Amino acid sequence: MESGKKSLRSSRPALLLATICIILSSATVKAAETDGTQGEDFSAEARLLYRAVACSGNTALPANLDRQIVDRHCVKLKARMQRYRRVYLARAAPFLAALRPSGLPDTVVYPFGGGDLLAALTTYPDARRITTLSLELSGDPRRITTIDNERLDKSLDIVDHNIGGLLTANDSTTETLMDTQQGDLPGQLSYFLVALAVHGFEPVSLRYFHVQPDGSLHYYTAADVSAMESRVARARHGKWTSPDFSEAFANSELVFRPVGADGPLRVHRHIGANLRDDSLKQDGPILTYLRSQGRVAAMTKAASYCLWNPRFSRIRNYLLSNMVFMISDGTGIPPEIAQQEGFVQETYGSFKGAMCFDHCPSTEYNDQFKDLWANQPQRKLGFRYGYVDSKSSYHLLVTRRAPPTKL
C-alpha cells in the first residue's frame, strides 16, 4: 500500500486485485511516552462512527443521521463481517496461531499497511501496540456530526463498496485506498473501526499527532487543530489522490479494548508516509520512532513488491534490524537478503511467480522466491493472505531469525 503501486490486472471500474506498496502498558497508555500532552480526544466522534459506519456499539444516532439509512448500510456490512468471521477468520486464525512462536513481542509494525488493521488483528490478535504505515492518511472524524442524510446515504454506499476488498479478498485496491482520502466520512479511520468491530473491540479514545524529529509524538490540542484548519493535508506521493482534510488528521492514535471490558487497553497508530528512501530519512522522525519501539513482530502483504525494490532499502533494513518474526506473502523480504541478515524462511501454499509478471522490481528476486518454494516441502494453505501468485494460487511466507549456532 505504498507509492508506485499500479493495477496488476484489469483497470477500473471494477475493483482491482491490488493494494498499495503504538505505546502503552498492559492497562493504560503511558503519558510519559508522549511529549507531555495528550491532545484533543475525538472519542465521541469515534464512537459515533463506530455506530453509524462500523455498525457496532450503542451510541445514540443524532437527529442529523437517518436511522433507516444507517440500518440499510448495517444489514449489508454486518453480513460481510459475519462472513469474514465464519469463513475467513475461522480458517486463518488457528493456522496463524500455530505459526506464531511463544514469546513474540507484543508490538507489531506493518509497513505498506493502508487501512488494514483488520489483517493485523487477524495475524497478531494478542498485539498491544500496532503501527501501520502507508501513503493513506487517517481522515477527519468530525464531519459525521454535521453530514446531511443525502450525503450520508452516498457516503455509506462508498464505504460499502470500498470495504469489500478487505472483508472478501483480504486486501484493498489502489483505487479504493485513494478513495479514502476524500469525502464526508474518514475512509481510513472507518476501516480501522470496522476492524475493531470484526474482532470484538471498541474504541476508547482517538487522538491525532505528528512525529517529532527525536521520534516522540506531539498530540494535537484543540488549539493546534484550530490553527491548522486551513492547512490541507499534502499527498504523500505526487500521483496519489490529494486529501480534502486538514494535515492535523493525517496520523491517528486509536486506543481500544475488548467490548464491554475495562481493559486491557491496546493502541493502534497509523502514520501516513511515503516509505521510499528519498522520502524516509535514515535518522528522520519516522525511523527514529520505529526504532524506539524495540523488538517487533512484523507483517506485510499486497505491498506492490516494494521490499524487492532497492529504493525501499531503509524500511527493509529497519525490519531486518528490529523484527524477530514476520508473516507475509511474496511481497516480503527477498530470500537472499533475509539469509544474509540471519533469517530463515518457511513457505506455505504455492508460488510459481509474482503476479507483477514483467513489471517486477527484480526478476532475480522473483526467481529466488520460486526456488524457495520449489525446494521446500509442500505445505497446504487454505486461505488467501495478500496477493495470489501468477497462477492465482494462495501463498504465505514466514521469516524468522535463525536459531543461534551451537558450539
Side-chain angles (χ1 to χ4, degrees), residues 370-407:
K370 289 192 291 185
D371 290 343
L372 183 69
W373 258 266
N375 293 326
Q376 293 197 18
Q378 176 69 35
R379 303 181 182 96
K380 292 183 179 180
L381 180 67
F383 59 94
R384 177 175 169 175
Y385 195 84
Y387 287 155
V388 293
D389 77 341
S390 59
K391 303 296 184 181
S392 298
S393 298
Y394 300 161
H395 65 281
L396 180 148
L397 179 68
V398 169
T399 301
R400 68 179 86 216
R401 288 201 177 276
T405 302
K406 293 183 180 180
L407 298 178

Side-chain angles (χ1 to χ4, degrees), residues 29-30 80 89 93 103 155 173 264 313 322 326 372 376 380 394:
V29 178
K30 296 180 180 179
R80 281 177 166 173
L89 197 58
S155 297
T173 70
S313 64
N322 294 274
M326 182 180 194
L372 183 69
Q376 293 197 18
K380 292 183 179 180
Y394 300 161

